[in-house]
């Protein structure tokens, strides 16, 4: 088959603790737009990082243009003509458009030391003409919109004579008309024979622009289908799989139970639009959505970590102004970050210090002397209650497993008497056994009258734990589901629902 | 003082405003306006200020820290810092003394040796930062102490005088201009400072080194992923800083007609202050040589003017500190607006 550009077969990749890719395959033809889809963590990015030489595969083969190749570095990939446009753009904001496109390949004169700015400009103008792009080569990249910056990235990739172009969520930050412009360029590239890997979650876009779709799930290859032959529902079904859960559903929370937290019209420019919801006593609300949907931004806004432009937050019916996390903690809100090691616990310190760190004031006498006995007692109590597996409370947190670190962070907020707990990806990086322990703990906390917001990218987890499910997409709430009516497919549909 | 630049800006209407509003240009205009305002204020406050001899004095006192600041500009644009320039300058001066006075080498050779000393120190700092991944602050702090110690050890803690070679003191103190236009006695050190500034400016804005310098400071990862040998260019940039530092060593040794091994600590902070006042961002990616020259001039005009107004030395230091705060805060304010 002459027009097969890339063929990846039997790709394995192992990271400490996870089999990221297992026996994965992918094929790309000349002049094809091929979508790579799957839930967060399905292995799409890892697969593409293997193709671009960022990661080395543990097993499998890559054929490029009919020949088996070893892609040892991103430079090798670049030489072969494989370019990637990352979701987070890789440009130097202080340099101009032209300077960014030809960075590393500047035309030079005299002693190869001096830059030939005129030749640079000529090259860029020729490139833009070929690509039909309208950009000012002398503008600093920092002054461009995200859409324009993306154009610069595309131009840069194509200036290398890329034969394979990988686009990771290219439309994530684009408006509708900008998406149209992008698709014009993609179509142009397709007809010129470039193979394009298109990573996206947006069903409508897949239908519009792609020829074939490859689905991945949990680091495995599921299927490759022709876009025209499948419905959106079929794709979603392949993405989420047909796993059966024996867990009992959460029951409904009584309508008349106290509203603990009320969020009204919360907005932050470019991140959140008119977020409204109520959290009741003893309730677990699951926040579902794709990465970048704005769930963490909601959590950070409620926790006072990011400034808000508009909106009101009321705790126990009283309006509060949360300018910094300190205010939120005073109001009884605790936040458990998805990145425990950086924002959750102080890994270099021991269990008792971590448990007490948010409420030291309780353990200090008026002259500032810390009462260590009291702290030890409180820590012992937490270790008992949450069943933290640690030899003693003087153990440094870095020696605990992920699940037990998470328990220590929970303990920190319980010690502080927080009523509202926000869990951001509470089971990320925690093994299966410990997961169910964390689930049980969340249920216990809810049963004891704590109210919980749980952000999770794992749909089964959302379905299992939540009393109610709020789905977000692009900074908006696109759906609210009762536990009884929620299904994975429905959540995915809301999660890809664009405004 | 803060209103003045704005008034100036308003007069420059039309097309020019668009150009001036570009952050880099605006910063320079602001810095330059502040310099003019300072000069005007001191001229009206004291008749002794705007005298030829005093202006020459200001320029002369700018030369050494100015050359150090030129070098520092390069490293700071990468987002790094070089704390060693003060003591490396001293080490370069001491080595020049060793070459010329102890070893009896000809003056030009001694000068080259002194500059090479600076270059080698810069190269070592660059290797520590780029290859060993030691944070610039720590790597150059170590280099600062190593150079300080070596300068004392090599000189035996005593000054080395250049009395055998009177030519050497001419490098700074003589005036090449005075011979062409009698009476126009601008010291060579000042001329060398301005030539160094021109070379630095060309390096930064016209050459591949300068381009990668900005690219590194702006987004190192993107630069690396574009196939640029980031480590190599970092070492080159630290070496360039070292070369300027070596040159400053020559200038100060020649001006004092001796290498003073105990001198030098604290110069690095003055150099960094000049760079920052000149609008170069400590987070990297932005900066100009013209800005640094203006920044260095602001520092010495301020010190000189305050001295003429009989402000005690202790208070001069306080004022300089406040000026640094104002300069950086103005930069932050403007960036927040943009």
């Amino acid at each position: 088959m002459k027009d097969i550009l890339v063929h990846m077969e039997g790709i394995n990749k192992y990271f400490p603790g996870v089999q990221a890719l297992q026996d994965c395959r992918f094929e790309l033809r000349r002049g094809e737009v091929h979508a790579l889809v799957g839930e967060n963590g399905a292995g799409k990015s890892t697969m593409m990082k293997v193709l671009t030489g960022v990661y080395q595969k543990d097993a499998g083969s890559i054929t490029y243009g009919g020949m088996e190749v070893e892609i040892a570095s991103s430079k090798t990939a670049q030489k072969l003509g494989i370019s990637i446009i990352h979701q987070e753009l890789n440009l130097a904001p202080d340099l101009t458009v032209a300077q960014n496109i030809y960075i590393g390949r500047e035309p030079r004169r005299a002693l190869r030391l001096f830059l030939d700015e005129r030749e640079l400009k000529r090259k860029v103008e020729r490139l833009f003409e070929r690509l039909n792009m309208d950009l000012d080569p002398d503008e600093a990249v920092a002054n461009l919109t995200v859409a324009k910056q993306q154009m610069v990235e595309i131009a840069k990739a194509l200036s290398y004579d890329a034969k394979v172009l990988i686009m990771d969520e290219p439309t994530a930050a684009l408006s509708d008309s900008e998406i149209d412009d992008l698709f014009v360029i993609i179509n142009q590239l397709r007809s010129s024979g470039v193979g394009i890997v298109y990573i996206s979650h947006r069903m409508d876009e897949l239908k519009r622009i792609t020829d074939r779709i490859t689905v991945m799930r949990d680091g495995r290859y599921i299927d490759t289908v022709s876009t025209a032959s499948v419905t959106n529902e079929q794709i979603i079904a392949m993405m989420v799989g047909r796993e059966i859960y024996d867990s009992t559903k959460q029951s409904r929370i009584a309508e008349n139970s106290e509203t603990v937290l009320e969020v009204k019209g919360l907005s932050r420019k470019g991140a959140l639009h008119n977020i409204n919801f109520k959290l009741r006593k003893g309730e677990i609300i699951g926040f579902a959505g794709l990465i970048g949907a704005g769930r963490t931004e909601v959590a950070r806004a409620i926790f006072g970590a990011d400034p808000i432009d508009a909106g009101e937050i009321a705790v126990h019916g009283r309006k509060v102004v949360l300018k910094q996390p300190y205010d939120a903690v005073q109001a009884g809100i605790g936040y458990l970050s998805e990145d425990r090691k950086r924002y959750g616990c102080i890994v270099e310190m021991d269990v008792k210090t971590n448990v007490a760190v948010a409420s030291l004031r309780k353990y200090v006498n008026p002259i500032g002397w810390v009462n260590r006995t009291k702290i030890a007692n409180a820590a012992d109590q937490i270790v008992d209650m949450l069943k933290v597996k640690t030899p003693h409370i003087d153990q440094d947190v870095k020696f605990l497993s992920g699940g037990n670190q998470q328990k220590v962070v929970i303990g920190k907020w319980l010690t502080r008497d927080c009523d509202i707990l926000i869990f951001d990806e509470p089971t990320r990086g925690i093994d299966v056994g410990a997961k169910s322990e964390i689930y049980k703990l969340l249920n216990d906390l809810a049963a004891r009258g704590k109210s919980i917001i749980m952000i999770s990218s794992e749909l089964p987890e959302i379905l299992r734990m939540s009393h109610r499910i709020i789905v977000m997409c692009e900074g908006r709430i696109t759906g609210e589901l009762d536990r009884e009516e929620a299904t994975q497919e429905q959540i995915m549909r809301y999660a890809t629902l664009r405004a | 003082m803060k209103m003045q630049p704005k008034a100036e800006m308003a007069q420059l209407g039309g097309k020019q405003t668009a150009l001036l509003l570009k952050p880099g240009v605006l910063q320079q205009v602001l810095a330059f306006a502040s310099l003019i305002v300072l000069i005007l204020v001191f001229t009206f406050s004291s008749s002794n200020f705007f005298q030829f001899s005093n202006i020459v004095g200001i320029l002369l006192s700018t030369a050494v820290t100015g050359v150090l600041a030129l070098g520092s500009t390069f490293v700071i644009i990468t987002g790094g810092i070089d704390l060693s320039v003060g003591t490396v300058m001293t080490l370069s001066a001491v080595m020049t003394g060793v070459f010329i006075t102890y070893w009896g080498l000809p003056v030009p050779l001694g000068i080259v040796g002194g500059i090479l000393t600076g270059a080698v120190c810069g190269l070592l700092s660059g290797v520590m930062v780029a290859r060993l991944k030691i944070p610039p602050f720590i790597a150059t702090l170590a280099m600062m102490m190593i150079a300080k110690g070596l300068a004392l050890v090599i000189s035996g803690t005593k000054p080395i005088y250049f009395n055998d070679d009177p030519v050497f003191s001419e490098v700074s103190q003589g005036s090449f201009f005075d011979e062409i236009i009698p009476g126009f006695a601008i010291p060579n050190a000042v001329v060398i400072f301005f030539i160094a500034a021109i070379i630095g400016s060309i390096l930064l804005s016209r050459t591949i080194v300068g381009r990668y310098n900005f690219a590194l400071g702006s987004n190192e990862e993107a630069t690396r992923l574009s196939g640029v040998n980031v480590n190599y260019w970092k070492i080159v940039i630290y070496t360039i800083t070292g070369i300027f530092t070596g040159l400053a060593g020559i200038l100060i040794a020649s001006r004092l007609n001796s290498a003073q091994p105990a001198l030098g600590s604290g110069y690095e902070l003055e150099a960094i202050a000049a760079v920052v006042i000149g609008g170069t961002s400590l987070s990297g990616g932005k900066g100009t040589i013209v800005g640094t020259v203006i920044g260095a001039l602001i520092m010495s005009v301020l010190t000189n003017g305050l001295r003429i107004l009989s402000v005690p030395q202790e208070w001069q230091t306080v004022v300089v500190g406040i000026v640094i705060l104002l300069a950086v805060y103005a930069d932050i304010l403007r960036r927040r607006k943009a």
Side-chain angles (χ1 to χ4, degrees):
Chain A
M1 285 273 270
K2 241 183 146 184
D3 57 320
I4 289 181
L5 210 48
V6 176
H7 185 84
M8 302 170 80
E9 182 80 57
I11 306 291
N12 279 0
K13 179 70 197 174
Y14 181 81
F15 291 119
V18 237
Q19 184 75 41
L21 295 176
Q22 195 166 6
D23 195 21
C24 284
R25 47 167 299 173
F26 183 74
E27 182 192 88
L28 183 68
R29 295 182 191 145
R30 242 178 270 279
E32 165 184 60
V33 181
H34 193 142
L36 189 55
V37 300
E39 283 185 282
N40 300 330
K44 298 163 297 189
S45 301
T46 313
M47 192 72 173
M48 288 304 113
K49 281 181 177 161
V50 168
L51 181 58
T52 49
V54 177
Y55 294 153
Q56 301 307 306
K57 59 184 172 3
D58 297 333
S61 69
I62 303 175
T63 325
Y64 182 80
M67 283 206 307
E68 184 157 347
V69 287
E70 277 304 320
I71 302 174
S73 70
S74 41
K75 210 158 188 179
T76 320
Q78 212 169 56
K79 272 190 197 136
L80 288 170
I82 302 172
S83 282
I84 185 161
I85 296 168
H86 293 277
Q87 209 172 343
E88 60 290 358
L89 298 172
N90 255 310
L91 296 169
D94 301 306
L95 300 191
T96 68
V97 170
Q99 290 169 355
N100 262 290
I101 291 176
Y102 284 98
I103 188 169
R105 298 168 297 158
E106 292 80 359
R108 311 186 209 173
R109 47 198 174 85
L111 308 164
R112 307 231 345 111
L113 175 67
F114 288 88
L115 297 160
D116 189 342
E117 300 287 355
R118 246 190 265 161
E119 174 62 19
L120 177 66
K121 201 161 176 185
R122 256 201 303 275
K123 276 182 132 175
V124 172
E125 274 164 2
R126 247 182 326 212
L127 180 70
F128 284 171
E129 208 170 303
R130 178 157 73 88
L131 300 173
N132 232 336
M133 279 185 187
D134 183 28
L135 283 171
D136 177 3
D138 296 326
E139 185 68 59
V141 163
N143 301 336
L144 300 179
T145 62
V146 180
K148 288 264 170 72
Q149 292 185 4
Q150 200 153 37
M151 299 287 168
V152 177
E153 281 263 34
I154 294 174
K156 182 175 165 186
L158 294 171
S159 70
Y160 281 97
D161 286 321
K163 294 179 186 68
V164 173
L165 190 58
I166 302 160
M167 302 173 114
D168 191 359
E169 297 272 1
T171 56
L174 302 191
S175 70
D176 283 340
S177 70
E178 288 167 342
I179 291 174
D180 291 341
D181 292 347
L182 177 69
F183 283 2
V184 168
I185 290 175
I186 290 180
N187 276 324
Q188 222 171 292
L189 295 175
R190 167 164 40 199
S191 44
S192 71
V194 176
I196 295 169
V197 184
Y198 191 89
I199 301 177
S200 177
H201 292 292
R202 295 178 177 164
M203 293 301 143
D204 53 328
E205 281 173 19
L206 299 189
K207 281 284 177 192
R208 263 178 76 190
I209 195 77
T210 69
D211 302 304
R212 287 196 295 166
I213 299 173
T214 289
V215 183
M216 292 182 70
R217 186 174 71 227
D218 300 332
R220 287 163 195 270
Y221 169 83
I222 302 299
D223 202 3
T224 300
V225 292
S226 143
T227 308
S229 70
V230 288
T231 62
N232 288 354
E233 284 68 28
Q234 283 171 313
I235 302 171
I236 289 173
M238 282 193 277
M239 278 164 67
V240 296
R242 287 275 163 220
E243 298 148 66
I244 307 297
Y245 292 91
D246 56 354
S247 66
T248 49
K249 290 183 176 184
Q250 297 278 20
S251 53
R252 210 178 252 268
I253 292 288
E255 284 288 345
N256 58 0
S257 62
E258 185 203 355
T259 297
V260 176
L261 174 76
E262 179 163 14
V263 175
K264 264 194 266 178
L266 189 71
S267 294
R268 201 178 116 224
K269 211 175 157 226
L272 298 173
H273 310 280
N274 193 24
I275 302 294
N276 296 290
F277 69 92
K278 286 181 186 176
L279 177 66
R280 288 188 291 243
K281 192 171 177 179
E283 185 178 36
I284 302 176
I285 295 187
F287 267 70
L290 301 162
I291 288 172
R295 297 166 300 164
T296 298
E297 285 73 8
V298 171
R300 289 178 59 92
I302 296 172
F303 194 56
D306 290 335
I308 58 172
D309 296 328
E312 277 183 18
I313 296 169
V315 176
H316 293 295
R318 250 201 3 252
K319 201 187 151 211
V320 288
V321 177
L322 307 174
K323 287 198 165 158
Q324 48 179 352
Y326 173 83
D327 301 329
V329 173
Q330 292 293 47
I333 302 173
Y335 175 60
L336 292 89
S337 161
E338 57 185 315
D339 195 344
R340 279 187 299 279
K341 291 197 175 115
R342 275 173 66 194
Y343 305 119
C345 42
I346 310 167
V347 292
E348 300 290 340
M349 294 184 130
D350 56 22
V351 172
K352 61 175 192 304
T353 309
N354 270 283
V355 166
V357 72
S359 29
L360 273 179
R361 204 165 275 190
K362 276 197 198 169
Y363 308 111
V364 174
N365 72 9
I367 57 163
W369 193 266
V370 177
N371 187 332
R372 285 196 260 180
T373 326
K374 269 194 189 172
I375 288 184
N377 289 342
D380 278 330
Q381 221 178 330
I382 290 292
V383 167
D384 267 0
M385 184 169 77
L386 305 182
K387 300 193 177 60
V388 182
K389 283 196 200 75
T390 173
H392 41 77
I393 55 170
D394 299 322
Q395 177 81 310
D396 282 357
V397 166
K398 66 180 165 196
F399 297 118
L400 303 187
S401 71
N404 284 299
Q405 288 182 353
Q406 185 68 296
K407 288 182 184 176
V408 169
V409 186
I410 296 173
K412 173 174 86 176
W413 293 120
L414 292 182
T415 310
R416 190 70 175 79
D417 299 323
C418 288
D419 293 333
I420 302 166
L421 295 170
I422 307 171
F423 289 85
D424 200 345
E425 304 284 359
T427 61
R428 173 161 297 170
I430 289 177
D431 61 67
V432 184
K435 264 187 188 178
S436 58
E437 255 187 275
I438 296 283
Y439 294 152
K440 189 171 168 302
L441 196 54
L442 289 181
N443 278 329
D444 288 349
L445 292 172
R448 292 221 317 266
K450 304 281 179 193
S451 305
I452 294 173
I453 291 174
M454 184 187 77
I455 298 170
S456 173
S457 294
E458 292 182 35
L459 290 180
E461 180 169 298
I462 289 271
L463 287 171
R464 176 172 172 174
M465 294 307 301
S466 317
H467 295 108
R468 253 187 320 144
I469 297 161
I470 289 176
V471 191
M472 290 188 68
C473 180
E474 296 180 345
R476 291 182 173 79
I477 291 181
T478 49
E480 193 177 320
L481 299 161
D482 263 338
R483 174 59 193 96
E484 285 81 5
E485 52 177 1
T487 61
Q488 297 201 34
E489 285 78 4
Q490 223 169 350
I491 295 175
M492 274 313 265
R493 198 166 307 120
Y494 281 128
T496 53
L497 196 70
R498 311 192 53 224
Chain B
M1 215 169 84
K2 287 203 82 177
M3 288 309 292
Q4 216 77 15
K6 274 188 189 162
E8 274 205 16
M9 290 280 308
Q11 289 173 2
L12 301 154
K15 273 185 203 163
Q16 274 180 314
T17 338
L19 178 71
L20 288 175
L21 285 178
K22 290 199 173 176
V25 184
L26 181 69
Q27 174 71 31
Q28 273 173 49
V29 171
L30 268 177
F32 189 64
S34 313
L35 178 61
I36 301 296
V37 170
L38 270 182
I39 291 174
L40 287 178
V41 167
F42 286 130
T43 307
F44 286 118
S45 311
S46 165
S47 56
N48 294 328
F49 180 80
F50 208 77
Q51 302 289 332
F52 182 74
S53 61
N54 190 47
I55 297 296
V56 167
I58 290 174
L59 290 174
L60 188 57
S61 69
T62 314
V64 172
T65 38
V67 170
L68 282 183
L70 292 177
S72 301
T73 310
F74 285 84
V75 171
I76 292 176
I77 289 175
T78 66
I81 195 107
D82 193 341
L83 295 177
S84 70
V85 295
T87 58
V88 168
M89 171 184 81
T90 309
L91 181 62
S92 301
V94 166
M95 288 310 292
T96 311
V98 169
F99 295 143
I100 295 175
T101 304
Y102 289 179
W103 296 6
L105 292 182
V107 169
L109 222 54
I111 289 174
V112 170
I115 293 177
L116 274 182
T117 307
V120 168
C121 291
L123 179 88
L124 289 176
S125 292
V127 169
M128 286 194 275
V129 171
R131 294 251 176 246
L132 309 184
K133 308 291 173 208
I134 299 172
F137 190 95
I138 304 298
T140 60
L141 181 70
M143 180 54 76
M144 168 174 124
M145 301 178 83
I146 292 168
K148 185 177 181 175
L150 282 180
L152 289 168
V153 170
I154 292 169
S155 65
T157 72
K158 283 193 259 315
I160 305 174
Y161 292 95
F162 295 92
N163 294 333
D164 305 340
D165 286 283
V167 190
F168 183 69
S169 67
E170 291 293 301
V171 173
S172 265
Q173 298 171 30
S175 177
F176 161 78
F177 267 108
D178 198 31
E179 284 165 31
I180 306 170
I181 317 163
F184 193 65
I186 293 188
N188 290 337
V190 176
V191 178
I192 292 172
F193 167 47
F194 281 109
I195 291 174
I198 291 167
I199 293 173
S201 184
I202 290 172
L203 264 179
L204 203 53
S205 60
R206 299 256 179 268
T207 70
I208 196 78
V209 187
R211 177 62 44 83
Y212 290 155
N213 200 339
F214 283 107
L216 268 175
S218 191
N219 187 343
E220 183 172 336
E221 184 61 7
T223 310
R224 197 176 64 83
L225 290 177
S226 303
V228 175
N229 189 343
V230 167
N231 287 345
Y232 170 79
W233 290 106
K234 243 190 214 172
I235 293 172
V236 168
I237 290 163
Y238 275 88
T239 309
I240 289 175
T241 302
I243 291 171
F244 278 98
T245 309
L247 178 62
I250 304 292
L251 291 182
I252 197 165
S254 160
R255 196 174 134 203
L256 303 173
N257 199 28
S258 62
Q260 301 284 345
L263 206 76
S265 297
Y267 275 70
E268 67 281 345
L269 297 181
E270 278 184 45
I272 293 168
V275 174
V276 168
I277 292 174
T280 296
S281 158
L282 276 182
S283 48
K286 294 184 188 71
T288 57
I289 290 293
V290 179
T292 297
V293 171
I294 294 171
L297 285 172
I298 287 180
M299 296 266 292
S300 36
V301 164
L302 204 57
T303 327
N304 177 284
L306 291 173
R307 194 184 308 135
I308 285 182
L309 296 182
S310 317
V311 174
Q313 173 131 32
E314 303 76 41
W315 282 105
Q316 292 173 22
T317 318
V318 174
V319 173
V320 172
I322 292 170
V323 166
I324 294 172
L325 273 184
L326 285 178
V328 176
Y329 188 60
D331 190 41
I332 290 172
L333 277 187
R334 237 193 359 273
R335 217 161 292 180
R336 202 178 292 166
K337 250 183 267 167

